[in-house]
Amino acid sequence: MAADGCSFSLGLPCVFSPKSRQYLALFSQDGRLRIWNTDSKILHQEYVPSAHLSATCTCIAWGPCRMAKEGPLRKKRKSEAGHVEEQVDLLALGTVVGSIIIYSTVKGALHCTLDGGHSGGVNCVQWHPEDGLLYSGSDDTHIVEWDLRTGKTCCKWKADRASVTSLCVSPDGKLLLSAGHTIKMWDLKTKELYRKFTGHSTAVTTLRFATTRPPDSNGLYFLSGAAHDRLISVWQVQEDGNDKNSVVSFTLTDEPQHIDLFTSNSKEEAVRLAVVCKDGQLHLFEHFLNGPCKKPLSPSCTVQMSGVEDSPMPIPLLAAALTTDTRSLLLAYGNYLQPVMERVEVNTAERHVCLTRDVHTTISLSMEATVSKVKTPVVNAKSKVLVPGLPGHQAPVKASLGSEKRKKGTDTKEMSIEERLGEIDLSLEKGGVKGAPSLQTDNFAVLLVQGLESKDANILNNVFQTRKDILIKKTVSRLPIPAVLPLVEEITKRMQGHPYTAVLMVRWLKAVLMQHTSYLSSLPDLVSQLGVLYHMIESRVKMFHKLTKLHGKLYLLMTQVVKGDSGNTDVDHKAKLVYEEESSDEDKASGDEGLPDEDSDNWEEDGIEDETMEDEEDKEEPEEVMRMESKANGDSVMKTRARRSDAQRKPI
């Protein structure tokens, strides 16, 4: 039996109705609930919540099939009494403001609104299979049990330290699985914790029971999937309580976005599983759950869809549903505003299956099938147009002024984008009066958007070549929100190129982060969008430390080389001025000790004669010699020593 689903993922909620799979309910980007008929492929119902802009839908869950009351009941014959069919009716919608909307597909209107149970946003809703109860998990870490007959809460209890992101009720209605990061199993009768499991490192987004066996037989299994996790883990509820770790893992190409399965009622029956990943691929698994398996299991078949163009583009799958026939699948693909539903036959014996579809033709056919109340008249050359006035009056219709202007100006050629770029003045100084609004930034913003949409390298190069921070800041601030992510991707691609281009791109990246930080932080897949840019910046910052060390060493070497080259020039080492104090008696004595002694007995006489001779010679020296002594004391000292030696050599 296929599991009745609740959709909670980083994408938009999307889920098939239980059992017959007759309807597909999904929320689009404009906040509208759309219910599509999978048999006729047309829009069955559309509902716009009163607060669809402020209270965005976060999760959807179909209620169990029941007897729906349509208008006044009439008495039925005995032959009709045994052929009453149950049909899907109620649809639960969780919102970010903590309220839950119950929508009736039979009435095509709002059934009721459940308020006052949560103080945070509702992350998941799950129906009880029989008792008309609804369970909801929220960011306020609590689980609330609602009674749909009264519209009030029956019970509320704290489930985890973190947000409750996923719920699942067992097929017999006795157990409830809840998960944040850890997975807990609750007894719905006593509201007590029954078992606790390890869980995942990130928030659990999907919980499903895989078997319908009782928990005391070691045959109860359930599976879980988490955000940013490429594995589906299978857990076994054992009697001894040693069940904290998963027993089986299924490998995926990306995090799970939509899961559908057929439960196993016995050990001889395999579990069939269909998982639609965030990258748009469908993985099919089939496995007998009879104990642990060490190695992760690969999908038995992978289904992809692509277009029929010369260079085909992948078509993302939104949801998939299994049928009783193992070869048949119900697929929903395309976009959320206009999805395409199709039942396909897939050869599961092949490991990889690629289906080609012309999505544009399919969408155009479905659009033509819808009923339109606007009639376009068929006008030919023979038809006549009557204008307001007297009955029967006919007059030709005058062409509008715009058409006359176009006819007059048919000879003039429209300027190309290259000519427009050539006429744009890139300087702000020629812009006119200060403080007046600059049309230049508007032109730059328009050109930048055109270049990003058309991926024209010439337009982008002309825009990115500007170096003025004010112009860059104003251009980025005037960009529309949908053009921010393509601009970041283009900047990331250009920063990986030449360093000169990277210097220019850093200015644009700084302006984008300053102007659109709030928008970027609100993106759910911000990590994947800016991952390449973050790793590139991190690698360059690591290299910057080494480059600064190398720059310092090279700077020291160059300064030493320059000093070495400047040291080769001839330098005059002669002193400009030398000052020396007059010699004392000790200096004279020390100078006399160096003289040769001819006779030690005549020492005193020689000393007296020397003094007398020096006095006489000093008197006879001219004034010019004295002037020379003042100018060069070094020469005078040498001359006095020479005179002393001559005086000693003269005979007495």
Side-chain angles (χ1 to χ4, degrees):
M1 177 182 177
D4 300 342
C6 164
S7 176
F8 173 82
S9 65
L10 295 178
L12 295 172
C14 174
V15 62
F16 285 101
S17 60
K19 292 185 178 181
S20 63
R21 313 291 177 169
Q22 185 180 2
Y23 299 109
L24 173 67
L26 53 84
F27 250 86
S28 56
Q29 293 92 336
D30 55 0
R32 298 170 181 264
L33 171 65
R34 289 184 172 90
I35 300 175
W36 298 83
N37 192 320
T38 57
D39 297 330
S40 58
K41 311 292 190 303
I42 61 174
L43 182 63
H44 178 64
Q45 289 180 8
E46 183 175 6
Y47 173 67
V48 183
S50 58
H52 67 284
L53 297 179
S54 59
T56 310
C57 176
T58 56
C59 52
I60 298 179
W62 284 96
C65 297
R66 65 167 191 158
M67 285 285 299
K69 297 181 180 180
E70 276 188 289
L73 295 177
R74 64 178 179 85
K75 292 183 179 180
K76 297 184 179 180
R77 300 175 183 176
K78 293 182 179 180
S79 58
E80 295 179 356
H83 299 282
V84 177
E85 291 186 359
E86 294 183 346
Q87 56 182 335
V88 291
D89 180 19
L90 299 182
L91 192 64
L93 315 173
T95 62
V96 295
V97 295
S99 61
I100 300 174
I101 300 172
I102 307 299
Y103 178 78
S104 174
T105 57
V106 174
K107 299 177 182 177
L110 180 67
H111 181 72
C112 65
T113 303
L114 307 178
D115 291 321
H118 293 289
S119 59
V122 178
N123 295 325
C124 49
V125 287
Q126 188 70 29
W127 291 84
H128 194 279
E130 297 175 356
D131 297 339
L133 300 176
L134 181 70
Y135 298 91
S136 59
S138 171
D139 289 334
D140 59 5
T141 70
H142 285 77
I143 297 175
V144 176
E145 184 182 54
W146 303 87
D147 189 355
L148 268 295
R149 288 166 292 191
T150 61
K152 298 180 180 179
T153 60
C154 297
C155 184
K156 180 178 180 180
W157 71 95
K158 185 176 178 62
D160 205 335
R161 295 181 180 178
S163 302
V164 180
T165 56
S166 185
L167 293 173
C168 185
V169 181
S170 61
D172 57 2
K174 296 180 180 180
L175 299 174
L176 174 67
L177 287 172
S178 69
H181 292 290
T182 59
I183 302 174
K184 296 180 181 180
M185 183 177 286
W186 306 87
D187 188 350
L188 288 179
K189 187 176 181 180
T190 61
K191 305 298 186 294
E192 294 180 354
L193 182 64
Y194 181 72
R195 292 289 170 82
K196 185 176 180 181
F197 303 88
T198 305
H200 298 259
S201 59
T202 56
V204 178
T205 57
T206 303
L207 287 173
R208 293 286 187 277
F209 276 95
T211 59
T212 58
R213 308 166 205 169
D216 54 355
S217 63
N218 289 339
L220 183 60
Y221 292 85
F222 68 91
L223 54 87
S224 64
H228 309 295
D229 194 352
R230 298 182 180 182
L231 287 176
I232 295 290
S233 300
V234 181
W235 312 79
Q236 182 182 12
V237 183
Q238 301 179 4
E239 274 185 289
D240 53 4
N242 297 326
D243 45 16
K244 294 184 178 180
N245 298 324
S246 62
V247 293
V248 182
S249 297
F250 298 114
T251 59
L252 306 173
T253 55
D254 206 339
E255 63 178 278
Q257 189 169 354
H258 184 275
I259 291 180
D260 187 44
L261 61 85
F262 266 84
T263 57
S264 171
N265 299 321
S266 63
K267 293 182 179 180
E268 291 76 19
E269 186 178 359
V271 174
R272 294 172 55 201
L273 178 65
V275 183
V276 177
C277 296
K278 190 178 179 180
D279 58 0
Q281 298 187 43
L282 170 64
H283 302 287
L284 302 177
F285 299 90
E286 189 171 354
H287 181 67
F288 291 92
L289 297 175
N290 52 7
C293 182
K294 295 182 179 180
K295 294 183 179 180
L297 301 178
S298 301
S300 59
C301 181
T302 300
V303 181
Q304 291 178 286
M305 302 199 73
S306 64
V308 295
E309 299 86 0
D310 295 334
S311 57
M313 297 294 292
I315 301 173
L317 287 165
L318 306 179
L322 298 170
T323 60
T324 54
D325 185 5
T326 57
R327 297 173 60 90
S328 179
L329 291 172
L330 177 59
L331 302 179
Y333 56 90
N335 56 65
Y336 288 92
L337 294 175
Q338 184 72 30
V340 180
M341 285 77 66
E342 181 182 358
R343 295 182 184 270
V344 296
E345 297 286 336
V346 177
N347 185 10
T348 55
E350 298 181 4
R351 295 296 299 271
H352 297 279
V353 177
C354 183
L355 305 176
T356 57
R357 296 289 185 274
D358 190 356
V359 183
H360 301 289
T361 304
T362 308
I363 292 176
S364 62
L365 290 175
S366 62
M367 292 294 288
E368 290 176 0
T370 57
V371 178
S372 177
K373 296 181 180 179
V374 179
K375 300 293 184 180
T376 304
V378 179
V379 180
N380 51 29
K382 297 180 180 179
S383 60
K384 298 180 181 179
V385 180
L386 300 177
V387 298
L390 297 175
H393 179 71
Q394 298 180 358
V397 178
K398 294 184 178 180
S400 61
L401 296 176
S403 60
E404 293 179 359
K405 292 181 180 178
R406 291 193 200 99
K407 290 179 181 179
K408 292 180 180 179
T410 51
D411 296 337
T412 60
K413 295 182 179 179
E414 187 178 355
M415 294 177 62
S416 62
I417 296 178
E418 184 178 359
E419 294 174 351
R420 292 180 184 178
L421 289 173
E423 293 188 359
I424 291 178
D425 188 5
L426 298 181
S427 62
L428 288 175
E429 296 177 357
K430 301 179 182 179
V433 184
K434 293 184 178 180
S438 175
L439 298 177
Q440 198 171 25
T441 53
D442 294 337
N443 293 336
F444 262 71
V446 172
L447 289 174
L448 183 56
V449 172
Q450 291 177 355
L452 292 173
E453 290 179 353
S454 62
K455 296 182 180 180
D456 193 335
N458 294 328
I459 299 177
L460 294 175
N461 290 336
N462 287 322
V463 174
F464 286 144
Q465 281 177 359
T466 179
R467 294 175 173 270
K468 298 187 176 182
D469 295 334
I470 299 176
L471 183 59
I472 294 174
K473 183 178 178 181
K474 291 184 178 180
T475 303
V476 172
S477 63
R478 285 178 169 86
L479 278 180
I481 293 299
V484 175
L485 269 182
L487 176 60
V488 173
E489 294 176 358
E490 183 67 24
I491 291 173
T492 304
K493 183 174 69 174
R494 289 175 175 260
M495 286 184 67
Q496 297 175 357
H498 197 274
Y500 175 77
T501 308
V503 172
L504 297 176
M505 291 299 103
V506 166
R507 300 185 179 186
W508 286 89
L509 180 61
K510 179 181 177 182
V512 171
L513 295 179
M514 291 178 65
Q515 296 291 332
H516 300 284
T517 304
S518 58
Y519 167 69
L520 293 175
S521 60
S522 65
L523 295 176
D525 52 351
L526 180 64
V527 177
S528 60
Q529 294 287 348
L530 301 182
V532 178
L533 180 63
Y534 173 75
H535 290 301
M536 180 182 62
I537 293 176
E538 187 178 9
S539 62
R540 294 199 177 186
V541 168
K542 288 181 179 179
M543 188 63 66
F544 178 73
H545 182 63
K546 298 179 181 179
L547 290 175
T548 52
K549 286 185 176 181
L550 179 61
H551 179 267
K553 292 179 180 179
L554 291 176
Y555 179 75
L556 289 175
L557 290 174
M558 293 304 297
T559 52
Q560 291 177 3
V561 169
V562 171
K563 289 182 179 179
D565 295 340
S566 62
N568 296 331
T569 58
D570 296 334
V571 180
D572 187 9
H573 296 285
K574 187 176 180 180
K576 298 294 183 180
L577 178 62
V578 177
Y579 174 75
E580 184 176 347
E581 294 181 355
E582 295 181 357
S583 59
S584 61
D585 296 338
E586 294 179 357
D587 294 335
K588 293 179 181 179
S590 62
D592 294 339
E593 288 177 358
L595 296 176
D597 294 339
E598 295 180 359
D599 189 2
S600 61
D601 296 337
N602 300 329
W603 170 256
E604 295 178 356
E605 295 178 358
D606 294 339
I608 295 170
E609 291 178 359
D610 292 337
E611 291 177 359
T612 55
M613 292 296 294
E614 288 177 0
D615 294 337
E616 292 176 358
E617 290 177 358
D618 291 338
K619 292 178 180 179
E620 294 176 357
E621 285 179 350
E623 295 180 358
E624 295 179 357
V625 176
M626 296 297 291
R627 294 176 183 173
M628 293 296 292
E629 287 180 357
S630 62
K631 294 182 180 179
N633 293 329
D635 296 338
S636 63
V637 172
M638 295 299 293
K639 289 179 181 180
T640 53
R641 290 182 178 177
R643 285 197 298 271
R644 287 175 185 173
S645 60
D646 293 337
Q648 288 179 358
R649 293 175 183 175
K650 289 181 181 180
I652 301 173

